[in-house]
Amino acid sequence: MAKNFVSNKDETVRMFENNILESMSKVHFSVPLYIFIPIILVFLYRAIFVFESDFISIALMVLMGMIVWTLTEYMLHRFIFHYKPNSQLGEKIHFIFHGVHHDYPSDSRRLVMPPSVSLPLAFLFYFLFLAIFGAEKVAAFMPGFLTGYLFYDMTHYAVHHFNMHSKIWLALKNHHMKHHYQDPQKGYGVSSPIWDKIIGTDFPNKGK
């Protein structure tokens, strides 16, 4: 199978003629931490001090949020980022959302979601989960969901730029590199391969 990259150097291609739009498409990997950690703390404050939820209830909702994120990550990557409409405009939109990453997988400025994408998505998910769980439970659910998102973003940056030594991190790196260089129609999980295994989009086990 042909490899799916143009360059493995830390370089990129210009996507927008407008300088403001171009700058909004790039971000340092630490920016999501500065934005979403305070948001997580605000939600936890509300869960503990405003709604006075008990520890077990908060812990369970945080855990649920993390689990739901792993499925959300899988679904977004598979059905949104890899969706290719049969039109010239569709191809351009696909390239902006994800195609550029497959062409320039080592571009350090396009490895985490820019706030221009992550913040609107976070608001949409918040109102969705607010309608499902209500204000009290969502105050504990969102910290787990957003922590899962941050782990995804940091993992994505790490597997592209850091040398991994532990077995867990090396397994995550190998899983994602196969997605890039072996088969982009498999291995949609970045922070966890669990849904690839459950749904059947994992890579074949060579031992079998």
Side-chain angles (χ1 to χ4, degrees):
M1 182 177 290
K3 292 185 177 180
N4 301 310
F5 67 87
V6 171
S7 172
N8 275 326
K9 297 179 181 179
D10 188 354
E11 60 184 5
T12 190
V13 64
R14 189 178 181 93
M15 293 199 300
F16 301 98
E17 293 183 7
N18 184 282
N19 289 331
I20 295 176
L21 291 177
E22 180 67 14
S23 66
M24 290 173 64
S25 73
K26 302 175 182 178
V27 63
H28 189 268
F29 79 93
S30 64
V31 169
L33 298 174
Y34 292 118
I35 293 175
F36 285 98
I37 287 178
I39 295 175
I40 289 170
L41 294 177
V42 168
F43 274 116
L44 285 175
Y45 175 86
R46 285 174 56 80
I48 297 170
F49 297 105
V50 176
F51 295 110
E52 298 182 342
S53 301
D54 62 272
F55 175 79
I56 293 178
S57 297
I58 292 174
L60 288 175
M61 291 305 295
V62 168
L63 179 61
M64 182 185 294
M66 290 180 177
I67 294 171
V68 170
W69 166 258
T70 62
L71 180 58
T72 302
E73 172 191 319
Y74 176 92
M75 300 294 283
L76 285 174
H77 192 184
R78 180 177 181 179
F79 296 109
I80 304 298
F81 296 164
H82 277 270
Y83 175 65
K84 294 183 179 180
N86 294 321
S87 67
Q88 188 174 3
L89 177 61
E91 287 289 337
K92 289 182 179 179
I93 293 173
H94 166 73
F95 182 78
I96 290 170
F97 267 91
H98 198 61
V100 66
H101 172 55
H102 275 266
D103 284 355
Y104 297 89
S106 295
D107 176 12
S108 60
R109 294 284 176 168
R110 288 190 171 122
L111 285 176
V112 301
M113 285 189 189
S116 56
V117 176
S118 62
L119 282 173
L121 279 177
F123 276 107
L124 286 174
F125 281 120
Y126 167 70
F127 286 112
L128 171 64
F129 297 133
L130 179 63
I132 295 172
F133 298 118
E136 180 177 351
K137 289 184 178 179
V138 85
F141 177 89
M142 287 303 294
F145 188 79
L146 294 177
T147 298
Y149 157 67
L150 288 180
F151 183 73
Y152 152 77
D153 253 356
M154 298 305 107
T155 297
H156 192 218
Y157 184 88
V159 298
H160 278 283
H161 275 277
F162 297 156
N163 292 322
M164 305 299 181
H165 299 289
S166 85
K167 290 184 178 180
I168 294 176
W169 284 104
L170 188 59
L172 289 176
K173 183 182 180 74
N174 289 338
H175 185 76
H176 190 57
M177 291 304 104
K178 287 180 180 179
H179 171 75
H180 274 278
Y181 304 120
Q182 181 174 314
D183 188 351
Q185 305 307 316
K186 289 184 171 66
Y188 296 104
V190 177
S191 64
S192 169
I194 185 65
W195 293 106
D196 286 306
K197 297 182 184 299
I198 293 172
I199 296 174
T201 52
D202 200 6
F203 299 98
N205 188 335
K206 289 184 178 181
K208 295 183 180 179

